[in-house]
Amino acid sequence: MSQPDLDALPDGVLIADAEGLVTVANAASRSMLGRSELVGRPLYDVLTLLDQDGRDWCSANEPYGGLGIRTGVPEQSWILPNGDEVLVNARLRRSSPTAPVDLVTLCLRNGRGRARLDRERSDLVATVAHELRSPLTGVKGFVQALLNRWDQLSDDQRKLMLTTVNADADRLARLIAELLDVARIDTGRLSIYPREVDPVLLAGRVVSSVQAATSRQVQLEAPEEQLCAHADPDKFTQVLTNLVENGVRHGEGTVRVSLRRLDGGEWPGVRLIVDDEGEGIAEGIRRRVFTKFWTGGTGGGSGLGMYIVGGLTRAHGGTVTITEAPGGGARVAVDWPSVDLRPAR
C-alpha cells in the first residue's frame, strides 16, 4: 500500500523493522502522536503512550521480546500525550514460529467509539435504575404496610394493596423482558417462531387489555374479510402492545387501531395502523424514535419500546414508519408480511 493510501486511512498505522526503527507512519499516526516526523526513529522513542499506571506501551508489551511464539498484542487502551484515549493492537511478524520478530505493525484507533459505547452502557444502567426504583419502592412499601398492619386492614384494603403489588411486579417483569429483547436484537440472537396467525384476534386481545388499564378510549377497526399474518404471536402482540401503550402514554384523545390487507407491494401482508389525537411527532425526529433510550413528551417510559418495535418488525421482514394521523396526531404504520420473508439459513 502506497503512502497516500495509508494517509487516507482513519486509523493510525506504524510499522517498525527488525531493528526497532519506524519504516512507515501514516498521517493519522503522526497526528495522534503529535510528531511530524516518525520514519527512521526508534519505535521506543516515538510511541509515547502511557497506561493508567504510567507504563509506556513498548515496556509493557516488549514487542521484540517475550515468548518466541507470540504473533500479536491484543487491543488495549492507552493514553496519548494530549490525554485522549487510543486503542492499540499490534501484529508481530516472524520468519518462523520461534525466530526473532522482524516486523512490528501497530494500529492506533481513536477511543471515541469506545467512549460512546461506555456512555450507552451508562445510559442503560441509569435507565434500568430509574425504571426499577419506582415499582420496587411501591412493592416494598405495600408489603411492609401489610406486614405491620395486617390485622388493622380490611379485606378490601388488603386486596387493593396486593393488586397494586401485582401490577408493579408485572411492570418489573416487562422491563426485564424488554432489556433481554434489546440485548438479543443488538447481538442478532433474537429467536422468533413465526406461523400463520389471525392479526385481528391478537389485536382484539391487546386492545381489550390496554383498555382495561386506562380511562382513555382505545378502538379497534378491522375489515370483515379474513386477514393473515406470518408472525410469532408473542412478538406480534408485543409490538402492538408497545404501540398502543405509547399512544395512550404520549398521545391524546382516542387511540385507534386499524388493520387492512396490504396489496400491491413487494409482498402480501397486513398493514397495522395506530393513530392518536395528540400533537404528533415532528418529521425531523421520526427516525430517532426507533433508537434506544429515546423518550418524548412527559409520559416517561424506558425509551426502549419503539426500539423493540423496530427490531421485532424487521426480524419478521416487515417495516415500520411514522407519519401524521388524519386528526393531527401521530400515526405509526407497520407493514407485516403474511409470508415468511426471513433469509434462508
Side-chain angles (χ1 to χ4, degrees):
M1 185 177 288
S2 65
Q3 187 65 41
D5 291 335
L6 288 171
D7 288 340
L9 294 174
D11 296 335
V13 175
L14 281 178
I15 300 178
D17 60 16
E19 304 300 323
L21 299 178
V22 176
T23 58
V24 175
N26 69 345
S29 66
R30 296 194 298 270
S31 174
M32 289 181 182
L33 296 172
R35 301 194 181 194
S36 58
E37 292 295 334
L38 298 176
V39 175
R41 304 188 62 179
L43 182 64
Y44 281 77
D45 292 341
V46 303
L47 200 59
T48 52
L49 305 173
L50 300 178
D51 63 10
Q52 299 295 338
D53 297 324
R55 299 179 302 169
D56 66 276
W57 187 92
C58 290
S59 298
N61 292 290
E62 298 184 1
Y64 294 95
L67 292 174
I69 58 173
R70 282 201 310 164
T71 58
V73 178
E75 186 175 81
Q76 302 165 336
S77 174
W78 294 84
I79 306 299
L80 291 167
N82 63 3
D84 291 342
E85 181 188 23
V86 64
L87 305 176
V88 183
N89 58 41
R91 173 77 66 180
L92 310 179
R93 193 184 74 179
R94 304 171 186 271
S95 59
S96 62
T98 58
V101 173
D102 58 30
L103 199 71
V104 176
T105 304
L106 296 101
C107 179
L108 291 74
R109 183 161 57 90
N110 195 293
R112 283 194 295 268
R114 199 178 81 157
R116 183 169 60 252
L117 292 176
D118 288 342
R119 286 195 300 272
E120 289 184 357
R121 294 189 185 99
S122 297
D123 289 342
L124 176 62
V125 172
T127 298
V128 172
H130 176 75
E131 290 297 314
L132 292 179
R133 183 183 297 117
S134 177
L136 279 175
T137 300
V139 168
K140 176 65 176 177
F142 281 116
V143 170
Q144 191 67 47
L146 287 168
L147 290 173
N148 293 339
R149 303 173 55 197
W150 181 267
D151 294 335
Q152 304 172 30
L153 298 172
S154 66
D155 289 343
D156 289 341
Q157 289 174 321
R158 294 171 188 160
K159 184 176 180 180
L160 176 61
M161 288 185 175
L162 289 174
T163 300
T164 305
V165 168
N166 184 62
D168 285 339
D170 288 342
R171 181 178 167 190
L172 288 170
R174 182 171 178 185
L175 176 60
I176 293 171
E178 285 183 344
L179 294 170
L180 290 173
D181 281 337
V182 167
R184 291 167 183 147
I185 291 170
D186 286 346
T187 58
R189 293 184 296 179
L190 181 68
S191 297
I192 58 175
Y193 305 96
R195 57 183 183 270
E196 288 189 359
V197 299
D198 182 351
V200 178
L201 177 62
L202 296 177
R205 293 173 179 171
V206 171
V207 169
S208 298
S209 175
V210 177
Q211 180 66 83
T214 180
S215 59
R216 294 270 300 281
Q217 192 71 21
V218 183
Q219 297 180 353
L220 174 62
E221 302 173 2
E224 295 182 359
E225 62 177 321
Q226 182 73 28
L227 298 179
C228 176
H230 191 78
D232 181 320
D234 291 336
K235 304 305 182 185
F236 185 93
T237 299
Q238 186 176 2
V239 166
L240 184 53
T241 300
N242 284 354
L243 293 179
V244 176
E245 289 187 345
N246 271 356
V248 171
R249 182 182 297 116
H250 301 293
E252 297 176 6
T254 301
V255 176
R256 292 181 174 84
V257 180
S258 57
L259 294 95
R260 62 188 65 164
R261 185 181 300 279
L262 184 63
D263 293 320
E266 297 180 4
W267 34 262
V270 176
R271 175 162 291 175
L272 173 68
I273 298 174
V274 179
D275 293 332
D276 65 59
E277 299 174 351
E279 298 180 355
I281 301 174
E283 186 174 357
I285 63 173
R286 288 173 185 171
R287 289 181 177 271
R288 291 165 50 195
V289 171
F290 298 102
T291 58
K292 280 185 291 188
F293 309 120
W294 187 90
T295 56
T298 58
S302 65
L304 299 175
M306 292 301 288
Y307 178 79
I308 292 173
V309 165
L312 294 181
T313 302
R314 289 192 302 272
H316 286 80
T319 61
V320 55
T321 56
I322 297 176
T323 56
E324 185 175 331
R331 163 170 285 189
V332 183
V334 178
D335 288 350
W336 201 285
S338 57
V339 294
D340 193 353
L341 296 180
R342 295 175 300 158
R345 296 184 177 180

